[in-house]
Amino acid sequence: MQLNPRVKSTILSQQNANCVVMVPPKEFQFNQETAADNEFQTSLQLTPAELTQRVMDEFNTMVEGLRSQGIDVIEFDYHPGASKTPDAVFPNNWFNTQPGGTLTTFPMACCNRQAEVRVDALSDLLAKSNRPVRNTQDFTQWLEKGKYLESTGVMVMDHIGKRIYAALSLRCDRAVLDAYATTIGYEVVAFATKLSSGASVYHTNVMMSVGEGFAVICDEVIPEFERRLVQKTLAKTKQVISITEAQMGQFCGNILQLESQQGDKFIAMSQSAFDALTPVQKSQLKAHGKLLPFDVTTIETIGGGSVRCMLAEVFLPYSPD
């Protein structure tokens, strides 16, 4: 069914959002706190002015590119506070939304990331964007126990199958994960990971992505006995596309399937990821939507997160005045 492109869709895909929140990287810089367990971060020799110009250009180009395809982008601008938030450009780590109108906030591991949580300001913006929050859930009380769950950074959701895929790590505590899964009625498929360095993958969404009919995963970093379970579970309903650890390092797993207001499907990714995918992998993905590569080289190099990390899906229903 084709919708009038001037009319916002009130139809929500079960798996894919047609609206996202993005936060401009006004305070972006190398984050020493997150670098403790994020091997994807690399410092660049740029002046503060050069860095800000580059990352704002990358951000604005991505916003314009998504909007040009009919994907609704809500820019969550904010007034900087006393605490700097170098990773605010990655909002998907502190909240998520559900079709019933719920906004949930999550406990993040690093102190300077906890300062990103601005529930009232975000709720006001979503209401002004005709995506009102009906109720809220708060899991940040787990911070008192030193336990963390960084939202869709660590939880890759199969909304159709009602499953959460999660690589356990400092930022993905099993107790908090199970508590959240129980709240929304989802099954948990949790597993360990081990990179060539011996470290764990810090966020599940850098190693895998689940779309409506496909799953991209760097399964070679999962221990064999758990790998078989993850592969078997995904293969029940998805076309499984395996990527290598080297491809994961180019953010081939940090991709996200979205839909336009007219229902057209897209797969957002970085230019680095697009260039690292093989022709066969690109062909497989194209069967599930138009590929949308964005050059976010500076953001992904310094921040250690890429396009998917920059997109916080909005599943709140569109409610016109």
Side-chain angles (χ1 to χ4, degrees), residues 257-277:
Q257 188 179 40
L258 297 166
E259 291 189 16
S260 70
Q261 298 295 329
Q262 295 74 44
D264 298 317
K265 293 180 176 60
F266 299 91
I267 302 175
M269 63 183 64
S270 72
Q271 187 65 50
S272 300
F274 181 84
D275 293 341
L277 289 167

Side-chain angles (χ1 to χ4, degrees), residues 28-30 40-44 46 50-59 90 251 272 294-305 310:
F28 184 81
Q29 62 184 34
F30 186 87
F40 294 80
Q41 291 178 236
T42 304
S43 182
L44 295 177
L46 298 170
E50 289 173 335
L51 175 59
T52 299
Q53 183 65 56
R54 283 197 191 186
V55 297
M56 287 302 299
D57 286 347
E58 291 174 1
F59 174 84
F90 304 133
F251 296 99
S272 300
F294 298 103
D295 186 352
V296 293
T297 303
T298 314
I299 292 173
E300 67 184 3
T301 300
I302 295 176
M310 297 168 65

Side-chain angles (χ1 to χ4, degrees), residues 11 14 38 88 100 116 145 177 236 247 261 268:
I11 300 170
Q14 192 171 358
N38 182 349
E116 296 172 27
K145 298 182 179 181
L177 173 64
K236 289 178 181 178
Q247 287 180 309
Q261 298 295 329

Side-chain angles (χ1 to χ4, degrees), residues 34-79:
T34 58
D37 66 338
N38 182 349
E39 294 190 358
F40 294 80
Q41 291 178 236
T42 304
S43 182
L44 295 177
Q45 297 303 310
L46 298 170
T47 67
E50 289 173 335
L51 175 59
T52 299
Q53 183 65 56
R54 283 197 191 186
V55 297
M56 287 302 299
D57 286 347
E58 291 174 1
F59 174 84
N60 289 328
T61 299
M62 184 170 158
V63 170
E64 292 167 6
L66 291 168
R67 286 175 174 165
S68 72
Q69 300 297 331
I71 297 165
D72 196 5
V73 178
I74 298 173
E75 287 191 61
F76 183 27
D77 205 347
Y78 64 96
H79 297 291

Side-chain angles (χ1 to χ4, degrees), residues 275-287:
D275 293 341
L277 289 167
T278 69
V280 171
Q281 290 168 332
K282 289 176 185 176
S283 178
Q284 291 172 322
L285 284 171
K286 285 178 182 177

Side-chain angles (χ1 to χ4, degrees), residues 13-42:
S13 164
Q14 192 171 358
Q15 180 65 31
N16 305 320
N18 57 22
C19 176
V20 294
V21 168
M22 295 183 67
V23 179
K26 297 189 302 185
E27 300 179 288
F28 184 81
Q29 62 184 34
F30 186 87
N31 191 341
Q32 294 288 353
E33 289 189 33
T34 58
D37 66 338
N38 182 349
E39 294 190 358
F40 294 80
Q41 291 178 236
T42 304

